[in-house]
Amino acid sequence: MDEKQKSERLKQLTKLQYNVTQKASTEHPFKNEFYDNQAEGIYVDIVSGKPLFSSKDQYDAGCGWPSFTKPIDAKEIIENKDRTHGMVRTEVKSVEADSHLGHVFPDGPIDKGGLRYCINSAALRFIPTNKLEEEGYKEYKQIFE
């Protein structure tokens, strides 16, 4: 994704999506689009469209944000130390668009690796399994077969 493409995509974002992805804001817990999504599909970066998470790895962590045990491809995620708000956390960003996504914590299900990727819905776009092909994500159908 070049700077011109990114600039065009950023213009299409809502204020909340822009603030979350570009200014590292956090949306409200339990009042966001995907915290309790039960549908099968993948979540892509709202800016670049790169696939990031699968509903197969989503679980209810009780925190009010979509939570995942792992990304689809760890190479699409950057982790940075975040020392804001008097805490030390690990920020999660997308590689392609450098979008702030949320944070990763070491309190996830032990049997799934022990991580909890706590991600803002505003940083994601959900593609249901029945739309994967028409949206250009055909190769990800295999996750659900």
Side-chain angles (χ1 to χ4, degrees):
M1 160 171 271
D2 64 33
E3 285 304 311
K4 184 177 179 186
Q5 288 172 312
K6 183 175 178 179
S7 177
E8 288 302 314
R9 294 259 178 108
L10 292 178
K11 290 176 187 174
Q12 297 171 8
L13 300 180
T14 66
K15 184 177 178 182
L16 176 63
Q17 290 168 331
Y18 184 87
N19 287 338
V20 166
T21 61
Q22 305 306 301
K23 296 183 177 184
S25 292
T26 301
E27 64 195 356
H28 293 287
F30 303 104
K31 294 180 181 175
N32 57 76
E33 189 173 4
F34 303 124
Y35 87 90
D36 65 348
N37 185 23
Q38 303 294 315
E40 280 197 338
I42 63 170
Y43 294 88
V44 302
D45 181 338
I46 194 77
V47 177
S48 71
K50 278 286 194 172
L52 299 173
F53 298 98
S54 164
S55 63
K56 289 282 191 186
D57 301 310
Q58 188 172 2
Y59 72 103
D60 182 3
C63 63
W65 292 278
S67 296
F68 306 89
T69 57
K70 65 181 182 180
I72 291 173
D73 183 348
K75 293 182 288 202
E76 297 297 337
I77 301 288
I78 300 170
E79 295 181 7
N80 299 313
K81 286 290 174 223
D82 178 357
R83 292 177 172 26
T84 60
H85 308 293
M87 299 179 270
V88 177
R89 303 175 291 175
T90 302
E91 176 191 30
V92 178
K93 296 182 89 174
S94 66
V95 169
E96 179 81 16
D98 196 35
S99 299
H100 170 80
L101 303 173
H103 294 86
V104 62
F105 301 98
D107 61 1
I110 300 297
D111 64 329
K112 302 281 186 177
L115 296 177
R116 171 174 56 101
Y117 287 84
C118 184
I119 307 298
N120 288 284
S121 290
L124 303 172
R125 183 166 78 93
F126 181 71
I127 316 290
T129 54
N130 66 344
K131 301 270 187 189
L132 289 173
E133 194 164 344
E134 74 182 67
E135 293 272 346
Y137 299 97
K138 180 181 178 178
E139 65 270 29
Y140 295 92
K141 288 178 80 171
Q142 67 184 357
I143 294 172
F144 305 96
E145 294 173 347

